[in-house]
Amino acid sequence: MPQYGSGLFVSIAHLIRGLFGGTTVTADVVMTVINSLIIWALIALAALSLILLERKVAGWMQLRTGPNRLGPRGWFQTVADAMKLLGKEDIFPAAADKWVFGLAPMFVIGLSVMVMAVIPYGKGMVPVDLNVGIFYLLAVSALTTIPFFMAGWGSNNKFALLGGMRAVAQMISYEIPLVFSLLGVVMITQTFKMSAIVNAQSHVWFILLQPLGFVVYTIAATAETNRAPFDLVEGESELTAGAFTEYTGMRWALFFLGEYANLFIVSAVAATVFLGGWQGPFLPGWIWFAIKVLFMVFLFLWFRWTFPRLRVDQLMHFGWKVLLPLSVANILLTGVGIYIYQLIYPAIGG
Amino acid sequence: MIKTQELEINLGPQHPSTHGVFRMITKLDGETVTSVESKVGYLHRGMEKLAESRTYTQYIPYTDRLDYLASINNNLGYVQTVEKLMGVEVPERAEYLRIIFGELQRLASHMVAIGTGSLDLGGFTPFLYTFRDREKILDLFEMTIGGRMTMNMPRIGGIIEPPEEFWPALNKFLGEMPGSIEEYHGIITGNEIFQARTVGVGIISPELAEQIAVTGPNLRGSGIKWDLRKNAPYGIYDRFDFEVPVGVNGDCFDRYIVRVREMEESIKIIHQAVRDIPEGPTFAKVPKLIKPSVGEVYHRVENPRGELSFYIVSDGSTKPYRLRIRGGTFVNIQVLPYVAPGWKLADVIAILASLDIILPECDR
Amino acid sequence: MFGKGLAKGLGITFRHMFDKKITEFYPEDMPTLPPRTRSSLALNTPKCISCGMCSSACPNKVITLTTDKNESNKKFLTSYHMDLTRCLFCGLCTEACPTKALYTTTEFENAVYFREDMQWDMMQRYRDKVASGEIKEEVKPETKQEEAKDNG
Amino acid sequence: MGNIGGGLVFLVFALVTVFSAYLVISSRNIIHSALFLILTFIGVAALYAMLDADFLAMVQLLVYAGAISIMVVFGVMLTLRGGPENSNGDTRNAIGGAIAALLTFVVLGMVIFTNSAWLTTGTGISGGSTVSDVSWLLLTKYVVPFEVAAVLLLVAMVGAIILAKGVDDSK
């Protein structure tokens, strides 16, 4: 396995592997444990920093400074908030469906961990490089509907129920354009493997080949993460806090964590699939990856702090009647494009 | 047709989007609202009864607390009513100052209306932009009278003279205002999502508006050109040249855009007033103890939220025998059960926001 | 074209990201309020002529003052109490004051932990202010000081 | 899957699948039933993945657990009258059900164990991943069934829309 210039983390991983005898089962198990610990840490880190970033960006856009009290320029604010949430009372509503209500937040975070396992963070830095990587990612993130529904139902609260219903309806409608928008890239690369998709972009980023796919993906991903202008699940102006109305303390914080982990995931997928992943000159791959993810995150934050919210039927209308045809058209165009390309360069494709 | 179970939801009295303590009992079929029952009165403080135990002057600060976003307009309405009862002639300069401050207050109030309107549709940032500009107006008020929300500024027979530094600050504000309105248009009016949420939503037909006696921008949004400043001028409004903007469809967007255009008209009025304001005293000769003769009086003014009128019965003592307030919100809110059904839950919030209610005025 | 308005909005928010922020860092940078600000009330005791105009101008009976008469039949203040829990900060009392002994100040940090702390003894507050050097005590007529001494 | 670890994992997922399938039918609360159904689907997906049918596993996850079960849940949630307690009714014909299940089990077992061709594992068509195999087969050998299924789904969709829109009640 040539790992030239692959950077710090890969070397560390090799070192640890070497300690346990290279490719033995023990080494595999140890690496899996370490990888999952890293992913957990990454989720916590991503959520904490993204929450702060969100508040800072929101502040700047609104002519405020954002959090500015704790630590240098307020950079420790979310840490303090997390501590506060940890210390809060965990309230179960009397009429709640205890098991469903209690398990929902854990599923949110569990699914995020499952998804984050297949993202290529840098050259050779894919915790699990599945053959069906991107498809696995979509399949698992489709399951994120369930915890939202569980939260909405389990709370036994009318606002929460409406929020849960919206979550389900919204995710079902946006899952399909999301999948289809990524299919164009899959058609070009002929693989679902995340690392192969990144490798295929060493010359040209797929945002240039798939601009329509990128646009559709960005919109669908905004809806998938329940962020404005598609934040109907929370919809605070009509549903107070939607599906999370009854949640308190750490359980609520887990939802929050899940939301930002999801934000990170969709940004990471966009960076991987459309922006060339960790490819880039001079800097190590994982730094390039971080830069691209931050760019996507900023895009989502920017949308959130500029746009009002769509109505639920407009959201459905937009998803089914605008995005879906667009994404199908994208697939068609890509197919035609590949066909023409193959006529010119018969070598490519299978 | 697949039927779903009807869901009864209490929006309010504690709810982020009911602008205070307003309660809507909504019945939902899925997301579609089938009926709305509006409940008011959670903020009832007996404002009318309080007047009976306060002297005429002492009641002025209470009118601040009717429509707290337009306190100077309330003050003016009340003060002019008492002046009408007593037959007091207010000095020219005071009249002009009243126009300036009344219109500044209208601007501030409309800024809140469009800002919170955007907030209720989920757009948080425009809300803070409007509040940034409102802050400038409040600074002007603070400079003049010392209050920001509850100004208690006009007095029976006059108004308080603003300090020297007020005039340059006012000019600076007026200079910045067109840019700000341009910004509102950019971030709210022109936004396709905002338009999708408001155009054609919650149409109040002119007939309905007339039957319920809706007033203010909500009435004008329905296309009826009725503005007391033009149709029954009080103070010296007849001397100013301004348009009465009206909407076409009577939907939420029209009510919004009428407010923005009224802001532009208000700026025009302030410009004219600043140009024409004469020198002179700002207080008429009024006895220290206000004791109107026996009689009754009715006076109405155009407030940012519709007509505000006072009806005072005097028994010749220093306190009103009976005082009755007709607030715009209380009437405007009554269209909700007629307009809301058939729309989605989020639309009801949009309609409520476009009505621009303020509960203290409604419940009194 | 669809999306033009959205793009314009995005442009506005992006521009504002680099604008000057308008946040006030309150406890560090105290805001300078205009002199007319009605955020607190203070009594300049020596100026007070104990006429009771403020008390009768108040819509909410915030002010209760007690007076006494000296030998020369001149009224002087024995206590001046304000119940801030009921105060509207409307400024009618300061307007009514003929000598401007009662005046509004720009101190705005009036929050207290206990309800009783909202009961202000204005004369005591004046003495505290003089003691802390915040305001200079007005030179009182010679006779008045003696009278005060006589009364205890 | 000869090693002990693989067998253990299989056992865990099989138990999860069977147990949650049992809970689907025994749960009194219909929402719980629906949620356990999702768990069953996920367990089945895991079993597929263990059989190296990773594409099928993902389809199972995406379509069954992600979409179909959600539709079930949605339908239940929207049409539920009264509380969720005892909404699943009694499982009355326990004996009859047991006999039917036993018979099904026996028949399946006979089919599996008497048909020796099932016991051998198939080899890939192109030697590539399962995805390319599946797509290759779908668009060549099985193109007619594929299109027929598509038409069937289209008909079902049209029917669903007509059902949902329904006849005007006001008549």
Side-chain angles (χ1 to χ4, degrees):
Chain A
M1 243 195 276
Q3 293 288 347
Y4 46 88
S6 51
L8 188 62
F9 297 105
V10 179
S11 317
I12 293 172
H14 269 265
L15 189 73
I16 296 169
R17 248 180 205 285
L19 287 177
F20 290 93
T23 53
T24 60
V25 177
T26 331
D28 280 350
V29 170
V30 169
M31 276 317 289
T32 312
V33 170
I34 290 175
N35 277 339
S36 29
L37 284 178
I38 288 173
I39 290 170
W40 278 105
L42 195 67
I43 285 188
L45 194 72
L48 286 183
S49 50
L50 289 186
I51 290 170
L52 186 78
L53 189 70
E54 167 126 45
R55 295 176 63 183
K56 277 282 184 190
V57 168
W60 292 332
M61 284 183 175
Q62 293 160 357
L63 301 162
R64 302 183 284 118
T65 51
N68 54 46
R69 290 285 148 188
L70 210 70
R73 290 174 161 263
W75 291 112
F76 297 151
Q77 183 63 49
T78 36
V79 180
D81 286 346
M83 300 292 239
K84 180 199 77 176
L85 286 170
L86 273 171
K88 279 200 155 186
E89 190 189 353
D90 186 18
I91 297 171
F92 275 86
D97 194 332
K98 296 269 180 321
W99 278 94
V100 178
F101 181 84
L103 283 175
M106 292 165 199
F107 281 6
V108 170
I109 211 77
L111 289 170
S112 302
V113 175
M114 280 171 74
V115 174
M116 283 177 93
V118 297
I119 293 171
Y121 298 97
K123 197 177 182 77
M125 282 168 64
V126 196
V128 186
D129 198 5
L130 286 179
N131 265 334
V132 285
I134 201 160
F135 198 44
Y136 163 85
L137 195 142
L138 290 167
V140 175
S141 55
L143 295 180
T144 45
T145 324
I146 295 161
F148 282 103
F149 157 70
M150 283 166 72
W153 175 267
S155 305
N156 210 346
N157 172 309
K158 287 168 182 173
F159 288 121
L161 180 65
L162 277 172
M165 266 161 45
R166 284 178 173 188
V168 175
Q170 176 176 339
M171 289 201 195
I172 288 288
S173 358
Y174 279 82
E175 199 64 44
I176 296 164
L178 189 77
V179 174
F180 280 16
S181 67
L182 294 175
L183 274 188
V185 171
V186 173
M187 284 164 75
I188 296 174
T189 57
Q190 307 249 322
T191 180
F192 281 129
K193 206 168 180 164
M194 298 289 267
S195 55
I197 290 174
V198 176
N199 282 327
Q201 297 180 77
S202 53
H203 297 299
V204 58
W205 292 359
F206 284 139
I207 187 173
L208 299 173
L209 297 179
Q210 294 277 321
L212 188 60
F214 179 71
V215 170
V216 172
Y217 174 81
T218 310
I219 296 170
T222 319
E224 187 72 9
T225 47
N226 300 316
R227 295 178 60 80
F230 305 102
D231 56 342
L232 292 165
V233 179
E234 222 174 319
E236 81 273 351
S237 52
E238 59 262 18
L239 296 184
T240 56
F244 323 127
T245 307
E246 296 285 358
Y247 281 92
T248 52
M250 207 49 217
R251 271 174 223 283
W252 183 80
L254 281 179
F255 272 114
F256 217 62
L257 213 62
E259 189 191 326
Y260 284 91
N262 273 337
L263 178 65
F264 177 82
I265 288 165
V266 295
S267 305
V269 171
T272 308
V273 175
F274 292 105
L275 300 180
W278 42 262
Q279 309 256 18
F282 311 125
L283 295 171
W286 55 275
I287 292 186
W288 269 113
F289 182 75
I291 290 171
K292 287 166 185 174
V293 168
L294 276 180
F295 169 75
M296 286 307 295
V297 166
F298 174 73
L299 208 61
F300 289 124
L301 299 186
W302 192 11
F303 290 160
R304 173 164 180 185
W305 296 108
T306 307
F307 297 143
R309 185 182 302 120
L310 276 167
R311 202 169 63 207
V312 65
D313 58 325
Q314 289 165 344
L315 180 103
M316 297 290 138
H317 182 277
F318 189 66
W320 290 107
K321 296 186 181 169
V322 179
L323 278 189
L324 188 59
L326 273 182
S327 54
V328 173
N330 183 46
I331 289 176
L332 186 72
L333 282 176
T334 312
V336 171
I338 289 174
Y339 185 71
I340 293 169
Y341 192 77
Q342 277 173 347
L343 286 181
I344 307 168
Y345 302 100
I348 213 146
Chain B
M1 183 101 90
I2 293 174
K3 277 272 170 13
T4 53
Q5 198 177 346
E6 210 169 61
L7 197 65
E8 193 180 284
I9 273 197
N10 254 315
L11 287 177
Q14 303 295 330
H15 188 274
S17 297
T18 51
H19 295 249
V21 281
F22 176 52
R23 177 172 168 222
M24 283 185 284
I25 304 170
T26 42
K27 288 212 171 74
L28 296 181
D29 175 19
E31 283 262 351
T32 313
V33 173
T34 54
S35 80
V36 172
E37 202 183 319
S38 57
K39 297 272 180 199
V40 296
Y42 289 91
L43 205 58
H44 178 69
R45 295 155 296 169
M47 278 301 213
E48 291 174 6
K49 192 72 187 166
L50 277 170
E52 293 165 23
S53 56
R54 302 288 186 279
T55 65
Y56 285 96
T57 314
Q58 280 176 351
Y59 193 65
I60 303 174
Y62 283 88
T63 59
D64 283 335
R65 284 146 181 90
L66 288 174
D67 176 354
Y68 54 78
L69 293 175
S71 57
I72 290 183
N73 298 93
N74 300 335
N75 296 158
L76 275 175
Y78 171 73
V79 162
Q80 282 173 342
T81 313
V82 179
E83 280 161 4
K84 199 169 166 183
L85 180 65
M86 294 169 67
V88 175
E89 198 65 36
V90 181
E92 280 282 286
R93 186 172 173 83
E95 287 282 21
Y96 274 96
L97 281 173
R98 283 180 177 187
I99 299 283
I100 292 173
F101 282 102
E103 293 306 315
L104 276 177
Q105 182 74 81
R106 191 183 310 276
L107 275 173
S109 171
H110 281 347
M111 278 171 189
V112 177
I114 63 177
T116 54
S118 168
L119 180 66
D120 284 348
L121 298 176
F124 193 84
T125 306
F127 162 71
L128 286 168
Y129 291 167
T130 59
F131 266 60
R132 168 201 64 194
D133 297 324
R134 176 171 176 260
E135 201 70 5
K136 295 173 189 162
I137 302 178
L138 297 192
D139 283 344
L140 289 176
F141 290 149
E142 193 178 21
M143 191 186 285
T144 309
I145 184 67
R148 293 171 72 84
M149 278 269 275
T150 48
M151 254 68 78
N152 180 28
M153 186 165 183
R155 294 283 178 276
I156 293 161
I159 194 163
I160 285 146
E161 170 75 37
E164 276 301 307
E165 64 266 27
F166 171 80
W167 300 104
L170 176 66
N171 276 329
K172 183 165 170 282
F173 166 74
L174 289 176
E176 287 167 354
M177 215 34 225
S180 296
I181 289 181
E182 192 56 40
E183 206 170 277
Y184 304 158
H185 282 311
I187 198 165
I188 310 176
T189 321
N191 190 307
E192 276 91 351
I193 299 175
F194 178 78
Q195 286 173 3
R197 285 295 307 276
T198 50
V199 173
V201 171
I203 295 172
I204 302 176
S205 66
E207 296 78 36
L208 179 71
E210 274 181 348
Q211 277 167 11
I212 294 189
V214 172
T215 49
N218 298 330
L219 177 73
R220 294 191 283 277
S222 295
I224 297 174
K225 208 169 184 144
W226 178 262
D227 189 324
L228 287 181
R229 292 175 294 171
K230 267 267 191 264
N231 295 71
Y234 53 95
I236 51 163
Y237 269 111
D238 47 350
R239 297 185 201 172
F240 294 95
D241 171 37
F242 63 98
E243 292 293 312
V244 178
V246 289
V248 186
N249 304 317
D251 54 15
C252 292
F253 185 77
D254 277 356
R255 289 194 281 281
Y256 158 81
I257 203 75
V258 160
R259 287 199 175 87
V260 179
R261 283 168 58 199
E262 264 182 34
M263 282 168 67
E264 286 162 359
E265 297 305 320
S266 290
I267 294 170
K268 246 163 79 184
I269 295 174
I270 298 171
H271 271 299
Q272 292 171 35
V274 170
R275 188 191 61 207
D276 296 341
I277 188 164
E279 292 294 320
T282 59
F283 272 99
K285 287 267 174 289
V286 183
K288 200 134 203 177
L289 199 63
I290 285 158
K291 224 172 168 180
S293 49
V294 180
E296 53 191 78
V297 66
Y298 178 76
H299 181 70
R300 53 185 182 167
V301 291
E302 183 74 27
N303 256 27
R305 280 168 189 77
E307 284 178 22
L308 176 77
S309 55
F310 290 92
Y311 175 65
I312 301 177
V313 180
S314 162
D315 57 355
S317 71
T318 57
K319 294 167 182 170
Y321 176 75
R322 172 81 171 93
L323 184 141
R324 159 94 184 123
I325 303 163
R326 186 257 191 225
T329 302
F330 179 71
V331 182
N332 292 349
I333 219 168
Q334 311 301 334
V335 298
L336 206 58
Y338 299 93
V339 173
W343 293 103
K344 299 278 182 281
L345 180 63
D347 288 327
V348 175
I349 301 297
I351 294 166
L352 194 69
S354 77
L355 288 176
D356 189 20
I357 57 166
I358 190 113
L359 269 299
E361 188 192 27
C362 173
D363 299 342
R364 296 193 288 276
Chain C
M1 192 202 127
F2 186 81
K4 203 175 147 209
L6 299 180
K8 198 172 176 190
L10 285 174
I12 288 172
T13 44
F14 192 74
R15 250 201 327 279
H16 279 304
M17 263 187 80
F18 308 102
D19 270 6
K20 197 173 163 290
K21 307 295 174 241
I22 53 176
T23 309
E24 283 179 18
F25 290 88
Y26 152 58
E28 290 90 19
D29 305 335
M30 292 295 272
T32 44
L33 298 180
R36 289 192 186 184
T37 303
R38 288 193 312 239
S39 50
S40 186
L41 293 155
L43 180 73
N44 196 340
T45 320
K47 266 188 174 177
C48 181
I49 53 168
S50 319
C51 61
M53 294 280 270
C54 45
S55 176
S56 59
C58 180
N60 271 351
K61 298 191 173 63
V62 171
I63 303 168
T64 38
L65 54 92
T66 54
T67 54
D68 208 345
K69 278 181 185 163
N70 61 7
E71 297 85 17
S72 54
N73 215 18
K74 229 178 157 199
K75 279 210 279 187
F76 67 96
L77 212 52
T78 51
S79 80
Y80 194 104
H81 175 258
M82 287 184 91
D83 180 2
L84 261 283
T85 55
R86 293 203 301 228
C87 185
L88 294 171
F89 293 95
C90 63
L92 287 178
C93 50
T94 58
E95 265 169 48
C97 186
T99 61
K100 300 288 164 237
L102 189 67
Y103 59 99
T104 55
T105 72
T106 56
E107 298 158 17
F108 58 90
E109 290 170 314
N110 293 330
V112 287
Y113 283 102
F114 302 102
R115 195 172 254 270
E116 303 83 63
D117 294 344
M118 297 288 271
Q119 311 290 335
W120 284 4
D121 182 348
M122 301 302 282
M123 290 172 81
Q124 183 60 43
R125 287 175 77 87
Y126 172 74
R127 280 195 292 275
D128 289 347
K129 270 188 179 175
V130 171
S132 68
E134 209 179 318
I135 48 170
K136 279 207 185 82
E137 191 166 17
E138 306 231 343
V139 185
K140 286 183 250 176
E142 196 74 5
T143 48
K144 258 199 172 167
Q145 262 179 349
E146 281 173 10
E147 283 154 15
K149 238 179 258 167
D150 291 345
N151 284 289
Chain D
M1 288 297 154
N3 61 38
I4 301 165
L8 206 68
V9 174
F10 170 78
L11 205 64
V12 169
F13 279 114
L15 278 178
V16 165
T17 311
V18 172
F19 188 62
S20 50
Y22 168 72
L23 286 173
V24 171
I25 52 166
S26 63
S27 228
R28 284 298 179 84
N29 187 332
I30 197 160
I31 294 290
H32 289 177
S33 287
L35 290 173
F36 280 122
L37 186 66
I38 297 171
L39 194 58
T40 314
F41 286 151
I42 294 172
V44 171
L47 294 181
Y48 282 150
M50 294 198 65
L51 293 170
D52 282 345
D54 44 7
F55 181 73
L56 191 59
M58 292 312 131
V59 170
Q60 171 80 15
L61 217 54
L62 183 69
V63 176
Y64 280 89
I68 291 190
S69 58
I70 282 296
M71 285 300 167
V72 170
V73 158
F74 214 9
V76 167
M77 189 159 62
L78 281 177
T79 50
L80 193 65
R81 308 254 162 193
E85 296 81 22
N86 295 322
S87 49
N88 217 355
D90 286 327
T91 40
R92 250 169 269 153
N93 295 318
I95 299 162
I99 291 168
L102 193 70
L103 281 177
T104 314
F105 191 73
V106 166
V107 168
L108 279 176
M110 278 168 71
V111 167
I112 290 165
F113 288 107
T114 56
N115 194 343
S116 58
W118 287 67
L119 293 170
T120 57
T121 38
T123 45
I125 304 293
S126 64
S129 65
T130 51
V131 187
S132 39
D133 284 356
V134 167
S135 51
W136 188 254
L137 286 175
L138 273 182
L139 292 176
T140 51
K141 195 174 175 187
Y142 298 110
V143 68
V144 176
F146 180 63
E147 289 302 326
V148 168
V151 171
L152 182 72
L153 284 177
L154 184 70
V155 171
M157 208 155 84
V158 171
I161 290 167
I162 289 172
L163 272 178
K165 285 203 139 174
V167 208
D168 200 353
D169 276 1
S170 56
K171 270 186 272 182

